[in-house]
Amino acid sequence: MKRIGVLTSGGDAPGMNAAVRAVARSAMSAGLEVVAIRKGYSGLLNNNMFLMEPKSVSDILHRGGTFLQTARCLEFKEEAGVLKGVENAKKMGIEGLVVIGGDGSFRGARDLSLHGIPTIGVPATIDNDISCTEYCIGYDTALDTAKDAIDRIRDTCRSHERCSIIEVMGHGAGYIAATIAVACGAEAAIVPEREYDLNEIIENIKKGKKNGKEFNLIVVSEGICDVIAMAKKIEDETGIETRATILGHIQRGGSPTVRDRVTATRMGIHAVELLKKGIGNRVVAVKRDEIVDYDILEGLNMKKDFDDEFVRVAKMLSM
Ligand code: F6P
């Protein structure tokens, strides 16, 4: 193998740049050429690519977002799109590819592998919801950003003796919500994996008020309910002024934490190691802090249990 490609796909995640840098420089160290593909799979379809130099990835390690830009490419979900991608990759001399993104992106990686371009998936999403890996690039930074935001909300909440409902991202998974609820001392974490009882939460808030509790924080994972309506109901039933804040895309940006930079670097190097051996159709993963890899289909079919310990802990420690 003489030349490989790299792209970022799906929602951006802090640490993607660190992964691209590790792929590019570890490949160059091994004597490989590296083609950067812009805007995910759509760059492959539109020939939006360039040959990298070592300096192409200078000064990006600490930056959020992805300097290659990213996209969710519908055309690549079709067989015709994949074939066009394979043709363009071959024309560009790309013999192996690293795709940094979420599980939607790994389906494309599998299709490319099956059509003769060995492709490796590197998991990056703030949601940490990719089943085959204990950790996804971007999760730690998103938690840190949410922690900073909620600590600020706590300041104002306490000053006004209010209740605050904070909606965090998660894409149908409660990892961010449950973890951040413990980290920020929230009264409750409402997650998609577990049923919740709003009346019980309201009763606890009332009980807290009687016991002199001055403010309340409730963390809700996106897509569960209308947090503004929830705030109104809590205010109506408890008599405590209640506000809702949707943290939104603030959670996706920012300079990656040490954990994200280091994990992204380890994963990027591992992906290149596989390609150097001519191995494709694998997804890189973290298992008990080791970097491992799985067949992409096997990885996509794995199940990740949601451990509700943090939901329980947040509730237990709320007094
Ligand atoms: O997967 C990352 C994520 O930020 C999810 O948490 C969220 O549901 C989704 O992407 C938002 O997507 P978009 O940026 O397209 O609005």
Side-chain angles (χ1 to χ4, degrees):
M1 197 171 286
K2 290 201 181 77
R3 184 178 275 191
I4 65 166
V6 59
L7 61 83
T8 53
S9 170
D12 64 331
M16 278 184 160
N17 284 328
V20 173
R21 174 179 177 269
V23 168
R25 292 211 169 148
S26 65
M28 287 174 196
S29 299
L32 297 173
E33 290 179 332
V34 184
V35 172
I37 301 161
R38 295 192 186 91
K39 303 189 184 186
Y41 290 115
S42 61
L44 194 57
L45 299 182
N46 302 318
N47 291 305
N48 191 356
M49 326 179 202
F50 65 96
L51 191 62
M52 284 177 140
E53 296 166 8
K55 289 284 171 222
S56 304
V57 288
S58 284
D59 204 30
I60 62 165
L61 176 66
H62 63 299
R63 295 189 197 280
T66 160
F67 89 114
L68 291 182
Q69 299 184 289
T70 185
R72 294 184 172 112
C73 179
L74 293 179
E75 197 184 339
F76 206 74
K77 291 194 195 304
E78 308 294 328
E79 173 81 2
V82 175
L83 293 177
K84 191 172 165 193
V86 170
E87 193 188 321
N88 288 348
K90 284 189 176 157
K91 267 193 217 148
M92 191 68 185
I94 295 172
E95 296 167 283
L97 181 66
V98 180
V99 170
I100 303 159
D103 45 11
S105 315
F106 298 159
R107 290 194 179 85
R110 179 167 181 266
D111 291 343
L112 285 171
S113 298
L114 294 180
H115 285 89
I117 309 281
T119 302
I120 308 293
V122 169
T125 165
I126 64 160
D127 306 320
N128 206 33
D129 62 345
I130 298 178
S131 305
C132 64
T133 182
E134 288 163 10
Y135 190 78
C136 301
I137 298 167
Y139 178 55
D140 191 54
T141 308
L143 287 176
D144 229 42
T145 305
K147 179 263 295 169
D148 285 347
I150 296 173
D151 283 353
R152 284 170 167 76
I153 291 170
R154 165 186 280 266
D155 289 345
T156 177
C157 200
R158 183 168 212 276
S159 303
H160 286 267
E161 297 189 47
R162 281 178 180 160
C163 173
S164 258
I165 316 296
I166 301 114
E167 181 184 293
V168 296
M169 279 185 164
H171 199 237
Y175 300 103
I176 295 180
T179 306
I180 209 65
V182 172
C184 294
E187 273 56 60
I190 299 180
V191 297
E193 294 85 349
R194 297 288 176 267
E195 290 196 349
Y196 71 101
D197 181 350
L198 186 56
N199 291 326
E200 189 190 328
I201 292 172
I202 288 171
E203 284 315 307
N204 285 340
I205 294 174
K206 284 184 187 164
K207 206 158 71 187
K209 189 179 173 186
K210 273 198 201 123
N211 294 337
K213 193 169 173 58
E214 291 180 321
F215 67 99
N216 294 270
L217 300 170
I218 315 283
V219 177
V220 184
S221 200
E222 66 178 351
I224 293 182
C225 65
D226 174 349
V227 286
I228 295 171
M230 178 185 263
K232 179 156 181 356
K233 183 164 167 66
I234 291 177
E235 180 164 314
D236 288 348
E237 303 231 351
T238 62
I240 298 172
E241 258 193 306
T242 304
R243 299 281 192 270
T245 306
I246 298 171
L247 293 190
H249 287 88
I250 190 174
Q251 295 158 98
R252 286 243 295 266
S255 177
T257 60
V258 170
R259 183 174 186 189
D260 279 326
R261 295 179 198 195
V262 172
T263 308
T265 301
R266 291 173 74 200
M267 286 183 167
I269 291 171
H270 191 89
V272 172
E273 290 297 325
L274 291 170
L275 288 180
K276 269 167 36 189
K277 291 182 206 148
I279 300 171
N281 199 30
R282 308 291 291 176
V283 54
V284 178
V286 174
K287 188 177 180 188
R288 290 188 208 101
D289 208 34
E290 293 291 315
I291 305 292
V292 296
D293 54 88
Y294 301 102
D295 171 86
I296 292 185
L297 192 59
E298 184 194 340
L300 286 173
N301 287 335
M302 282 179 172
K303 293 275 167 282
K304 187 160 161 176
D305 281 340
F306 181 82
D307 180 359
D308 61 7
E309 178 66 1
F310 283 171
V311 176
R312 197 185 63 76
V313 166
K315 194 170 155 190
M316 175 182 76
L317 299 184
S318 156
M319 289 180 187

